[in-house]
Amino acid sequence: MSLKSLSKTRWKIESDRVTIYPYGLSYILAGVLAIIFGAGYLFYVQSLQNSMESSMPLLLVLLVIIVLFLGWARTSIEFDVNSGIMRKKLMGFLPITSISFSRIYGISPVSNTMGSYTYRVFKKDNRYGKGILVSCSYVKNDDPNAVAFVDEVIITIHRQLEIHDSPEDFRPQVIDNYTFFNVKGGSYTLKKNRIGSVVFGTLLLAVGIHELTPYAWMGHETNIGRICFLLFTLIGGPSIILAGFTNITLDKTSRLLTRTNPIGIGNKTYSFDNFNGIQTVRRSTNFIYSGTEVQVYFLKSGTQKEEAIALQSFFSTRKVERFVAELNSIII
């Protein structure tokens, strides 16, 4: 088995269960750590002239770390058809999560800020939350492992989940009033926090201008760090201000979504007829969750290529669900 195939999602389909192994990359990480730890341990023993007996605690710690990585690589997601329960099993045998099929919404792709995507299991009462990872990370939509995973695993699991669904689970949410849109006749304009955008954008711009003066806090040396900071403040500040005055309007009469701003940069118009779905992107900063962005996809006229437009970002998954419900009630 090659290193590339070892890092991909693996699965086993049996008559009474489907078992998925999404953490194969940990095998490779364990191997890399074993080489690094081995070299470090030999240096510690030979170059520093430590005895095997005195270095035994260090060796045991290093071995435990490697074993933990190997154990995590064996962690599985098991869909038990007979009991109608999904279980996440640490190291392949220790159940740490159990969810009945009747509570599972399905398996959906989730994009991230790096442009890759993974597949996660979501519950019906939290369809836009973190979810439970069931695949490795993919970059290309036509990745052979991703295509096979959808065809062989996801479709099979969804057939079993459908047996446990009830009519109430997928009843459309009735929208009587709109929280995230200003409504005027058949026109729905996305609400914006313009004051916050102006204040934050102006603050960034002011900091950038200050750094161009003789009193700059970062000095006047020409280095990559200072250049990046200046670009971030001098370009980012006006961009944030402009974003606050960018209007996104959905018109039911003309069946058009339009994005406009005072200077005309980035103005777009999309027809509802070319609407191709909604997708959420989970964003993180230094590996810490920083919000979920809601994007809508439209097919380019005369082609099968998609174009995405970001509408809004939320920290609360409940707000994401409400926003998507309002959006669907307008477009669909």
Side-chain angles (χ1 to χ4, degrees), residues 246-257:
T246 297
N247 290 323
I248 296 178
T249 302
L250 295 90
D251 194 304
K252 277 190 171 183
T253 304
S254 63
R255 293 184 55 78
L256 294 176
L257 181 151

Side-chain angles (χ1 to χ4, degrees), residues 204-205 207-209 212 229-239:
L204 275 183
L205 181 60
V207 171
I209 294 174
L212 295 176
F229 182 78
L230 288 174
L231 290 175
F232 173 71
T233 53
L234 296 176
I235 297 177
S239 297

Side-chain angles (χ1 to χ4, degrees), residues 60-122:
L60 291 176
V61 170
L62 297 180
L63 288 175
V64 167
I65 294 175
I66 294 173
V67 169
L68 288 176
F69 270 88
L70 292 173
W72 183 249
R74 286 287 303 167
T75 297
S76 62
I77 311 296
E78 178 187 271
F79 292 82
D80 190 326
V81 175
N82 292 336
S83 63
I85 294 178
M86 185 207 81
R87 300 182 182 89
K88 182 174 183 178
K89 294 185 175 181
L90 184 63
M91 301 185 182
F93 68 89
L94 181 63
I96 56 175
T97 302
S98 295
I99 306 175
S100 65
F101 284 6
S102 61
R103 296 175 56 205
I104 297 176
Y105 172 72
I107 301 175
S108 302
V110 177
S111 302
N112 59 42
T113 52
M114 300 301 292
S116 61
Y117 66 97
T118 58
Y119 286 94
R120 293 176 179 267
V121 171
F122 294 94

Side-chain angles (χ1 to χ4, degrees), residues 11 13 18 107 119 138 141-159:
W11 58 85
I13 300 177
V18 176
I107 301 175
Y119 286 94
Y138 300 108
N141 292 332
D142 58 352
D143 186 295
N145 185 255
V147 173
F149 183 69
V150 172
D151 292 341
E152 298 177 22
V153 179
I154 294 181
I155 292 177
T156 300
I157 292 173
H158 278 189
R159 285 173 182 166

